[in-house]
Structure formats: C-alpha cells, structure tokens
Amino acid sequence: MSFELLILGCSSATPAHQRNPAAQVLTFCDKTYLIDCGEATQMQMQRYKVKAHRIDHIFISHLHGDHYLGLMGLLSSMHLQGRERELVIYCQKELKEILELQFQVSGTVLRFPLRYRFFTAPTEVLLEDEQVCIKSFDLNHRVPCKGFLFKEQPRPRNLLIEKVREAGVPFDFYPELKAGKDFINSQGEVTPNAALTIDPLPSKSYAYCSDTLYTESLIPIIQGVDLLYHEATFLHDMLDRAIETYHTTCLQAGQIASNAKVKKLVIGHFSARYKDLNPLLQEAKSAFEHVYLAEEGIVYNF
Amino acid sequence: MSFELLILGCSSATPAHQRNPAAQVLTFCDKTYLIDCGEATQMQMQRYKVKAHRIDHIFISHLHGDHYLGLMGLLSSMHLQGRERELVIYCQKELKEILELQFQVSGTVLRFPLRYRFFTAPTEVLLEDEQVCIKSFDLNHRVPCKGFLFKEQPRPRNLLIEKVREAGVPFDFYPELKAGKDFINSQGEVTPNAALTIDPLPSKSYAYCSDTLYTESLIPIIQGVDLLYHEATFLHDMLDRAIETYHTTCLQAGQIASNAKVKKLVIGHFSARYKDLNPLLQEAKSAFEHVYLAEEGIVYNF
C-alpha cells in the first residue's frame, strides 16, 4: 500500500521564484486525492505526470485565490477530456456559486457528475470507507479555513497461523480473528484473541494544515501523525506580520510538530519575499528535527 | 517607438505539451497591453520578465476559461504588490460579476481602482488617445467574442526644414504644418503643405482574432495590418470539427491573411492533439507566405 505526498505548489498568495500556489497530490491507501488547487495546478499535474482521471476527491481548504483558482481550469479540462465518473469537491458552500456562475457564462454543461460536500461543522468526518477516514477541522485564518486529517482504518490483526490451526479455528472465522474477536469452539472453550494474533503495523496518518495562525488547539487533532504538512509563511522575525495576516512562522510550525510528536513535518506556503528557503528550513529545524521544505515535484513517502 | 507582440500562451482550451492558454502582451506605441489572460498568465509574465505594473489596460475577448481564468490571480497579485494606479478591463459584462463574487468571498478590497469597459456594440472604439485608436469587432464563436484592432494615429508629416525656413513659417505653426495644413503668410500668400512637408512613415496596426469560425467579413476590418494574430486551432482535415466548435483551420487562417493583404500573420490557439506544430505552419504557409507559429516567450516585432 502506498502513502506519498507530491507537492505541486509551495508559494503563498503571490507566486514567485517559479514557485506555484498551493496544491498537492496525496496518495493514501493507493487512492489519489487532490488537496487545494491553486492557479496552474493542471499544468503542474501535467509536468509531474499526475493523471487527472485518477482523482475522484478534491479538498479545498478555503476560498483565497491561491488555494482554488486552478479548479475551473482543471474541471474544464476533465470535461473536455471526456470524464464521466463522479467527482466530489469538499469545500465552503460559496465555491459552488463561483464555479456554477462560470459554467453558466461559458455555456458549459459538464459531462460528468460534480458533487459538492460542504463543510458543516467545526470538526467532521468528510469521507469514510473500509480503508480510510478523512476528517476536516477548523484552522484559524482570515476567512473560514479547514485542515484535513487522513487516517487509515485500523489494519487487520496478523494471524499466528500455527496457533490458529492448533486451536481448530475454522477458515470462516479468520476475518473475525483479524478484527480482534476471541475464538469459542463448539465445546464452549474460549481462546483469547491475543493467543492467536499479534498487533498489525500501525495505521498511517497524514494531516494538512494550510493557512492558519499558530494554533495550539490543533495539537491533539494532529497528534502523532506520520506526516504533517504545515504552512510556514514567514521567518519568526516577521511574527507581527504573521499574526496580522493569520499565518504561522517556521519556528512555530516546528514547535507544533514537536508538541504534536508527529513523525515528519513538511513546511510550505512560503512568502514571495524569500528566494532562498534554507533559512526557513533551519529555523523550523531548531524546534523539530525531521522537517523538510515543500519542493515542487518532490515526493515525500511516509 | 516600439511595436512588438510577446506570446505568453498559445494553446487552446486544454493546456498541453507545456503550452499555456491564451495570453499575449502587446507593446504598441511604447505602451503595454495585455490581451486575454488564460490560467497561469501571471506565472508566464514572471517567466518572461513582463512587469505587471506597466499594464493599465487588459482586453478579454470572451468568457471561455482559457481566455480569462488567469485574471483573478493577476489582479490579486497586483493588489498584494501595492498597485495604486487604475486598471481598465475591456470585457463582456458578466466578467465583472465573476470577479466581484470572488473578491467578496475572499474578503478582498482592491487597493487600486478597477474600471470595467463593457462591449456595447458590434464594432466600437474602446480607447482613443493622441497615439492610438483601439477598436473591438465581432468574431463568430459559441459565446459572444471580440477581436481587437490597434491602429496608430496618423503620424505627423515630416517637415522639409529648408523649405519651411525659406517660406518664413514661424515656429508656432510647425505643429499645424505637421498636421497637414497649408501655410499662409502675413501677405496672404499661400504655400501648400505639399511644398513644405513629406509623407510620414505609415502608421502601424495590429489585429487580434481569437476564437472564431472562418469569417470573411473580418477581411475589410483587418485589411493591410502590419501584424495579424489569428487562431488556427485545427489542420484543415478537421474542418468539420472546426465548424462544430466555431474554430478556424490553419489553411483558412492563411487565406484570411492573404485576402486581407496583411504584412505578417502569427497563428496560435493550437489544439492539444498536435504535439508537433510544423504541419500547422506548413499548411498556413500554403496560403500565405509570411506566417509564424505563436511560440511562448517569442517576441514578434512589426
């Protein structure tokens, strides 16, 4: 099963130094999700060989242009390329109005079903199936803004197959053993699950925190994730500006990662004022060791 | 005085082969105009060193996404970069609604005056000053679509300075001589203008014909321009598809240029199906010799 993050854009509001606005492709339990869709996302997808038809779910954190302006172009291209499968967009409700006005003016009737799933609560499950549970949670920005938490469902327990056979467990019961149940034979004798199975590998998790003021209430939500993407728009010497614009500094992003005991941190959403990003990396590293710069085209495995 | 066209995007609806959607920067009588503004125009401007603050007038031919989706991003960046000078957009009236909805949702109050000049007639003067007259004219597309004609005002006549002095023309009267008036001295003697001046160099002109069905009624409008940009989405073996989608073939674009006796033709708006553009160039050349492919980053002087 593959778990990887491909960065398509790592700039903040103004693209600069050939850095594009926010967009990333998350492969999670072998499925492909697009998170945010800044201008030129479809061109970046072409550049890095991301197949648009593999994406069925798009998550838009908030309605600042650098996080959604690429959506109309991407949807139009999906339409022109003959897409027929449903696409779901998880977003603020105003996005529907913005898109539908443009479809109407351009006389576009999409060939595929486009479904909107609006955010309705501070924290909520957006999508859940046998493999994954995806939640949104509130960030703290100038406009309503969401973070996203991807959690793999608990993996099945691993059978100790010799013990299972010795205990005479019928094949039909294996799924229940894997789900953690004890085995009771026809004589009513109980074999506890712990004698027949061992713990699976831990489930994987990913958290996306786009534009937000430094917010410690996020820590319990993103606690222990395998990979955290957190915005880090400014160096800490610009803390006043970060607070004014509801953004986070690199030092603060490192502190959040450290306090939440995540495994790896990727920082992004860099201000156009920084051409050289190394000082941003070093500042985050001073608070948390396992930090990486979001670089376009780079894949982060976890 | 400089007259040049810089292509920022030459693809049609779906970007492909690293070709971007429609946008071009026209330098005409030393002023800079942006014509169409497809997705990623602001990135292309950065790539080719076009200063956004030099642009005061943007012309949007029609409201298909590949011709305007880069506008929101460009306006946002102008705003964030502290622009204060007025910007005028020449467009269909629905564009205002599209932009203002997005400003409202993102809580953006532009720092600079944004003025809209809507198209109101089949042919009309959009902008006229001492140096240039810019007109729009109807194209024939699936949605209302405009072409643009840039004409330099007649240049002042060149003085034959020896003759002017011999005739005793006072310095104050030179502008009127340059404008073509005869000179009458204090004794009432007339020196005809033709004896004191010679013809100036011809005025320059540029015509932009974006998405349109092959339309011969354009010929008198664009007659004799120094440079014609005309869309050429398909090869002529796809004429049926061109008609169905209200586009022009390369052969037809060449024929238009030939019949209108323009000096140079640049073809663009290439379908994503063509990776190699050489056959498109050759086909247009079969009807008109002085034809060039629109290539991103290339400057066409005229």
Side-chain angles (χ1 to χ4, degrees):
Chain A
M1 207 109 76
S2 62
F3 297 86
E4 55 184 49
L5 179 69
L6 166 65
I7 299 292
L8 298 180
C10 65
S11 85
S12 60
T14 311
H17 319 300
Q18 307 200 317
R19 300 195 297 251
N20 288 273
Q24 50 182 247
V25 175
L26 177 70
T27 304
F28 198 90
C29 295
D30 295 335
K31 281 196 186 145
T32 307
Y33 303 91
L34 179 63
I35 305 176
D36 279 341
C37 187
E39 184 175 358
T41 292
Q42 63 171 332
M43 288 80 158
Q44 290 289 82
M45 287 171 61
Q46 288 181 5
R47 184 165 294 137
Y48 299 116
K49 318 280 185 216
V50 179
K51 303 286 183 204
H53 65 80
R54 292 194 55 197
I55 293 171
D56 294 334
H57 303 274
I58 301 178
F59 298 82
I60 301 294
S61 64
H62 66 299
L63 297 182
H64 280 158
D66 54 325
H67 293 257
Y68 82 89
L69 284 178
L71 202 48
M72 261 303 292
L74 178 61
L75 297 178
S76 300
S77 293
M78 285 174 163
H79 163 73
L80 291 168
Q81 284 157 358
R83 182 186 180 104
E84 294 182 352
R85 220 171 46 250
E86 180 183 78
L87 180 77
V88 189
I89 304 181
Y90 304 81
C91 59
Q92 316 289 341
K93 68 181 183 338
E94 293 83 357
L95 184 59
K96 182 179 180 191
E97 200 183 336
I98 290 171
L99 295 177
E100 296 207 335
L101 173 61
Q102 295 182 85
F103 290 139
Q104 177 212 313
V105 167
S106 61
T108 305
V109 180
L110 288 182
R111 291 198 189 96
F112 61 90
L114 179 60
R115 186 158 65 82
Y116 298 88
R117 165 65 167 88
F118 301 134
F119 307 132
T120 56
T123 303
E124 62 190 312
V125 172
L126 297 177
L127 176 63
E128 184 160 26
D129 61 22
E130 284 183 2
Q131 293 197 301
V132 65
C133 176
I134 306 171
K135 287 181 184 170
S136 65
F137 53 90
D138 271 345
L139 299 174
N140 189 357
H141 198 45
R142 280 174 299 145
V143 296
C145 186
K146 294 290 181 179
F148 304 111
L149 178 66
F150 289 70
K151 284 196 104 161
E152 189 187 5
Q153 300 287 22
R155 298 185 180 193
R157 298 185 62 77
N158 290 314
L159 301 186
L160 295 164
I161 198 68
E162 291 295 322
K163 307 270 186 191
V164 167
R165 282 180 187 146
E166 277 170 29
V169 181
F171 191 73
D172 287 357
F173 195 76
Y174 284 12
E176 292 179 72
L177 272 191
K178 289 181 179 179
K181 290 216 176 137
D182 295 337
F183 173 62
I184 307 171
N185 68 11
S186 53
Q187 283 80 46
E189 294 162 354
V190 176
T191 313
N193 189 282
L196 301 171
T197 68
I198 53 170
D199 289 346
L201 287 175
S203 298
K204 296 282 188 177
S205 52
Y206 171 70
Y208 177 76
C209 296
S210 75
D211 301 18
T212 187
L213 199 66
Y214 171 76
T215 303
E216 292 185 351
S217 61
L218 300 180
I219 292 170
I221 299 170
I222 61 178
Q223 188 75 32
V225 294
D226 292 281
L227 182 64
L228 168 65
Y229 172 94
H230 200 289
E231 73 123 301
T233 309
F234 298 105
L235 284 169
H236 204 68
D237 62 3
M238 296 204 65
L239 179 61
D240 290 353
R241 180 82 182 136
I243 292 170
E244 187 190 349
T245 56
Y246 285 76
H247 284 301
T248 299
T249 70
C250 297
L251 180 65
Q252 291 174 327
Q255 287 167 341
I256 289 271
S258 173
N259 291 331
K261 296 187 171 51
V262 308
K263 299 207 176 63
K264 283 185 192 173
L265 167 66
V266 170
I267 55 171
H269 202 263
F270 308 120
S271 165
R273 77 196 64 221
Y274 305 115
K275 186 170 183 192
D276 174 13
L277 298 175
N278 204 43
L280 286 78
L281 179 65
Q282 294 314 319
E283 185 177 286
K285 252 192 204 303
S286 72
F288 182 73
E289 192 186 344
H290 306 291
V291 57
Y292 305 85
L293 291 171
E295 285 183 61
E296 296 174 18
I298 298 290
V299 171
Y300 305 82
N301 292 290
F302 61 97
Chain B
M1 206 111 74
S2 60
F3 296 87
E4 56 183 49
L5 179 69
L6 166 65
I7 299 292
L8 298 180
C10 64
S11 84
S12 59
T14 310
H17 319 300
Q18 307 202 316
R19 300 195 296 251
N20 287 273
Q24 51 180 246
V25 175
L26 178 71
T27 303
F28 198 90
C29 294
D30 295 336
K31 281 195 186 145
T32 307
Y33 303 92
L34 180 63
I35 305 176
D36 279 340
C37 187
E39 184 175 357
T41 293
Q42 62 171 332
M43 289 78 159
Q44 291 289 83
M45 286 172 61
Q46 288 181 6
R47 183 166 297 138
Y48 299 117
K49 317 282 185 214
V50 179
K51 303 285 183 204
H53 65 80
R54 293 194 55 198
I55 293 171
D56 294 335
H57 302 275
I58 300 178
F59 298 81
I60 302 295
S61 64
H62 66 299
L63 297 182
H64 280 157
D66 54 325
H67 293 257
Y68 82 88
L69 283 178
L71 202 47
M72 261 304 292
L74 178 60
L75 297 177
S76 299
S77 293
M78 285 174 163
H79 163 73
L80 292 169
Q81 285 157 357
R83 184 186 178 103
E84 293 182 351
R85 219 169 50 249
E86 180 182 77
L87 180 77
V88 189
I89 304 181
Y90 304 81
C91 59
Q92 317 288 343
K93 68 179 185 336
E94 293 83 356
L95 184 60
K96 183 179 180 190
E97 200 184 336
I98 291 171
L99 294 177
E100 295 206 336
L101 173 61
Q102 295 182 84
F103 290 139
Q104 177 212 313
V105 168
S106 61
T108 305
V109 180
L110 288 182
R111 291 198 188 97
F112 61 90
L114 178 60
R115 186 156 66 80
Y116 299 88
R117 165 67 166 87
F118 301 133
F119 306 131
T120 56
T123 303
E124 63 189 312
V125 172
L126 297 177
L127 175 63
E128 183 160 26
D129 61 21
E130 286 184 1
Q131 294 197 300
V132 64
C133 176
I134 306 171
K135 288 180 184 170
S136 64
F137 53 91
D138 271 346
L139 299 175
N140 189 357
H141 199 44
R142 280 175 299 145
V143 296
C145 185
K146 294 290 182 180
F148 304 110
L149 178 66
F150 290 69
K151 283 197 105 159
E152 189 187 5
Q153 300 286 24
R155 296 185 181 193
R157 300 184 62 75
N158 291 314
L159 302 186
L160 295 165
I161 198 69
E162 291 295 321
K163 306 271 186 189
V164 166
R165 281 183 188 143
E166 276 169 29
V169 181
F171 191 73
D172 287 357
F173 195 76
Y174 283 14
E176 291 179 72
L177 272 192
K178 289 182 179 180
K181 289 214 176 139
D182 295 337
F183 173 61
I184 307 171
N185 69 9
S186 52
Q187 283 79 47
E189 294 163 353
V190 176
T191 314
N193 189 282
L196 300 170
T197 68
I198 53 169
D199 289 346
L201 288 174
S203 298
K204 296 283 188 176
S205 52
Y206 171 68
Y208 176 76
C209 296
S210 75
D211 301 18
T212 187
L213 198 65
Y214 171 76
T215 303
E216 292 184 351
S217 61
L218 300 180
I219 292 170
I221 299 171
I222 62 178
Q223 188 76 29
V225 294
D226 292 281
L227 183 63
L228 168 65
Y229 171 94
H230 200 291
E231 73 122 302
T233 308
F234 298 105
L235 284 170
H236 203 68
D237 62 3
M238 295 203 66
L239 178 62
D240 289 352
R241 180 81 182 138
I243 291 170
E244 187 190 349
T245 57
Y246 286 75
H247 284 300
T248 300
T249 69
C250 298
L251 180 66
Q252 292 174 326
Q255 287 167 340
I256 289 273
S258 174
N259 290 331
K261 297 188 171 50
V262 308
K263 298 209 178 63
K264 282 184 193 174
L265 168 66
V266 170
I267 55 171
H269 202 265
F270 307 120
S271 165
R273 79 195 63 220
Y274 305 114
K275 186 170 185 192
D276 174 14
L277 298 176
N278 204 42
L280 286 79
L281 178 65
Q282 295 313 321
E283 184 176 287
K285 252 194 205 302
S286 72
F288 182 74
E289 190 186 346
H290 306 291
V291 56
Y292 305 86
L293 290 171
E295 285 184 61
E296 296 175 18
I298 299 289
V299 171
Y300 304 82
N301 292 289
F302 60 99

